[in-house]
Amino acid sequence: MQRALYDPVDPTLLGSLTPDLQYRVNGEVYRFGAEKTMQRFVTEPELWCGLLRDPVTGERFIPSTHSPRVYFVGGPYYFSSDSTHDRFLEDPGHYEVKRAM
């Protein structure tokens, strides 16, 4: 059996409520069933997170490795354009997405 470039996520593992197995992207909380899976996600979240919402415009988009981003309050924020990235940096607290972990 040929091994994929990235191991698939095991759908039988439920996401943990333990803070050590949670990570934020654009303020949304992602939960993982294993440390190995979470570390794979943290290394390149844009490959795994799927559809995101730009925190400035609310526009939904799929991030790429070229998407503008900034690390803020516990995780990365991705943006659909350079202009929304710059607007976010002017007042990040105004656009921060707050979710309980």
Side-chain angles (χ1 to χ4, degrees):
M1 181 171 154
Q2 188 176 20
R3 190 177 168 134
L5 180 59
Y6 293 102
D7 292 332
V9 174
D10 184 348
T12 63
L13 293 176
L14 295 176
S16 176
L17 296 179
T18 304
D20 293 345
L21 290 174
Q22 298 177 13
Y23 190 70
R24 290 180 184 268
V25 176
N26 282 38
E28 297 296 331
V29 179
Y30 290 78
R31 292 177 168 80
F32 302 91
E35 176 70 27
K36 180 180 176 181
T37 306
M38 186 179 87
Q39 288 308 316
R40 186 179 307 124
F41 182 91
V42 168
T43 302
E44 297 177 296
E46 66 277 357
L47 296 179
W48 306 98
C49 64
L51 201 58
L52 292 177
R53 189 174 301 277
D54 186 300
V56 175
T57 64
E59 176 185 349
R60 295 177 63 89
F61 70 103
I62 302 269
S64 74
T65 55
H66 302 293
S67 296
R69 71 176 165 183
V70 64
Y71 191 89
F72 182 72
V73 186
Y77 275 77
Y78 290 86
F79 303 89
S80 58
S81 69
D82 289 330
S83 63
T84 59
H85 170 265
D86 295 345
R87 213 157 130 204
F88 181 89
L89 290 178
E90 290 172 6
D91 187 9
H94 178 76
Y95 299 108
E96 175 188 1
V97 178
K98 297 176 182 167
R99 301 272 191 271
M101 284 180 69

